[in-house]
Amino acid sequence: MTTTASPVPGDIPENVPDHIPEPGGPVDAGPPDPVAAAARPVRLIHTEATTEIPVHLLFRDAPEPAPVRLSPAVVTRRPDESGRNTAERPRPPAVPRIDPELVERPARVLPGLAGVLAGMCGAAGCVATSWWAGVLPSPLPGTFGPAGLGPARWAAYAGAGALALFGFGGLARGRTGRAWVLGLFGRYRGTVRRTGLLWVNPLLLRRRVDVRLRHWRGEPMRAADRSGVALRVSVLVVWRVRDTARATLSVEDHEAYLRACVEAALVRVPVAAPGAGKGAVDAAQDALTRLVAADTAPVGVEVFAVRPVRVEYAPEVAAAMHRRRIAALDAQHRASVLGSVVDSVEDTVTRLTMRGLVELDDYERKVLVKDLTVAFCAGRTEAGP
């Protein structure tokens, strides 16, 4: 910044003093001379990036700062060893979105007796029209007018026939554990869960859905235990259709969707290895049930349990795990045999010494222990399987 002196601009007021005493300096005894003040130019500050600023403006009292609203500070934690920030909350799993209006509701149906009566009335109307047209012999000649099929008779035939078709064609039998999903021109019209003889509009498309409690045992699927060892798992799924509208219309095949959800859950949840305890098996079962139930709830399928019924190692690791288990059992057997031999040798040497049968120094004791150990081990090996 460069500071220079320049002439007084025209817009500076006349009563501005040309000299401002510095703090701590001497104070003038009297007012300044007006002639000297007019001849002396006012000192200004020139900058390269700003306009001319009078000196007296630099020493004005600054106005009070306006209050500024500060947003609350967010304190984050340090990332852990894996590089993940521990303060971040885990994101909820993505849930499929279904049309909120697609919810099961009861359909409008009539008792089956109404359909039977309508069909009988239509059939009776067809018979009466035939008598009227002279197609059937009449017990009273000339009662129904001249013979022939005119427009009126054709209209009567059409009305009576339509009534008979609608009456008998709409009859349906509702059974326990089964439901009808009705639709008209691609639009959902309701669900029929009633039992017995019913009359349903014959123009509606019917889809039968099984709403009973069902179980499904799948084929062996890929899984892994907590150590990452590949497994083959067969599961038993207990489920039922809770919302028939969503189970039928929101997915193409709700049974195939259930199988896919079970397979995806087996990939995410570690399964207890063969021979694991009851606690590990129950924990894996609960985790599988929660995941599958959460995935299938939006499509109207209710899952009660997902139980692994058969767990075995994958073919590529079965032989290695078999050898490993045999080696572990052999090592355990050898350890138990060695422990029993050592106990027998110690008991024998202690009895011989305490009863005074032999007097042994350190060297003789070592030799005796060695000979007894060899003898006991040979005897147990010959007696073993």
Side-chain angles (χ1 to χ4, degrees):
M1 187 188 316
T2 306
T3 305
T4 58
S6 63
V8 181
D11 56 350
I12 299 299
E14 298 179 358
N15 56 356
V16 176
D18 61 342
H19 175 70
I20 298 177
E22 298 180 357
V27 181
D28 296 338
D33 189 0
V35 178
R40 187 181 306 167
V42 179
R43 288 178 296 173
L44 300 176
I45 297 177
H46 290 272
T47 61
E48 296 178 357
T50 61
T51 57
E52 298 178 353
I53 304 176
V55 177
H56 71 281
L57 297 179
L58 300 177
F59 298 93
R60 292 191 307 172
D61 294 337
E64 297 182 359
V68 179
R69 299 182 62 182
L70 300 178
S71 59
V74 178
V75 180
T76 58
R77 299 180 182 179
R78 295 180 179 179
D80 54 5
E81 297 179 356
S82 61
R84 180 181 177 183
N85 194 346
T86 57
E88 296 179 358
R89 297 181 179 179
R91 296 181 179 179
V95 178
R97 296 182 179 180
I98 306 297
D99 186 4
E101 297 181 358
L102 188 60
V103 181
E104 180 182 334
R105 60 179 181 270
R108 297 179 180 178
V109 295
L110 297 177
L113 182 60
V116 173
L117 293 178
M120 294 178 64
C121 291
C126 290
V127 173
T129 305
S130 299
W131 286 342
W132 182 24
V135 177
L136 297 178
S138 176
L140 300 177
T143 305
F144 297 97
L149 294 176
R153 294 175 179 83
W154 280 115
Y157 263 126
L163 183 60
L165 290 177
F166 267 77
F168 291 121
L171 294 177
R173 183 182 61 174
R175 293 189 294 178
T176 303
R178 303 293 179 90
W180 295 94
V181 177
L182 307 181
L184 180 63
F185 303 116
R187 184 179 180 183
Y188 174 63
R189 305 298 297 178
T191 300
V192 180
R193 287 180 178 261
R194 297 171 57 180
T195 59
L197 188 61
L198 306 172
W199 184 86
V200 183
N201 188 352
L203 298 179
L204 298 178
L205 178 63
R206 308 175 190 177
R207 295 183 182 180
R208 179 173 293 181
V209 182
D210 192 345
V211 295
R212 295 173 296 180
L213 186 65
R214 305 168 63 183
H215 69 278
W216 165 70
R217 179 171 178 172
E219 299 294 331
M221 292 178 285
R222 292 182 177 272
D225 60 0
R226 296 185 179 276
S227 301
V229 179
L231 302 174
R232 292 282 186 174
V233 182
S234 299
V235 296
L236 177 67
V237 184
V238 182
W239 62 285
R240 71 176 179 183
V241 175
R242 179 177 51 85
D243 193 316
T244 57
R246 292 190 173 185
T248 307
L249 303 177
S250 62
V251 291
E252 183 177 0
D253 187 356
H254 58 274
E255 295 185 10
Y257 182 79
L258 176 62
R259 295 189 186 96
C261 291
V262 171
E263 188 174 358
L266 287 175
V267 175
R268 291 180 289 175
V269 176
V271 182
K278 185 177 183 298
V281 174
D282 293 342
Q285 174 182 333
D286 295 342
L288 287 173
T289 303
R290 287 195 300 269
L291 281 179
V292 177
D295 291 341
T296 57
V299 298
V301 177
E302 185 176 7
V303 177
F304 296 96
V306 180
R307 301 187 182 96
V309 294
R310 184 178 180 182
V311 181
E312 59 185 9
Y313 291 104
E316 58 270 14
V317 298
M321 296 303 299
H322 182 66
R323 291 193 298 268
R324 180 179 177 183
R325 177 161 295 183
I326 291 178
L329 292 176
D330 185 62
Q332 184 178 1
H333 175 68
R334 290 177 180 275
S336 63
V337 169
L338 182 60
S340 61
V341 168
V342 171
D343 293 341
S344 300
V345 171
E346 182 182 5
D347 183 58
T348 302
V349 174
T350 302
R351 288 185 178 184
L352 293 175
T353 305
M354 294 184 64
R355 293 183 181 182
L357 299 178
V358 292
E359 293 182 0
L360 304 173
D361 55 6
D362 293 340
Y363 177 76
E364 293 176 346
R365 182 183 296 274
K366 292 180 180 179
V367 173
L368 179 60
V369 169
K370 180 180 179 180
D371 295 340
L372 290 175
T373 302
V374 173
F376 287 159
C377 287
R380 288 184 177 272
T381 303
E382 293 177 359

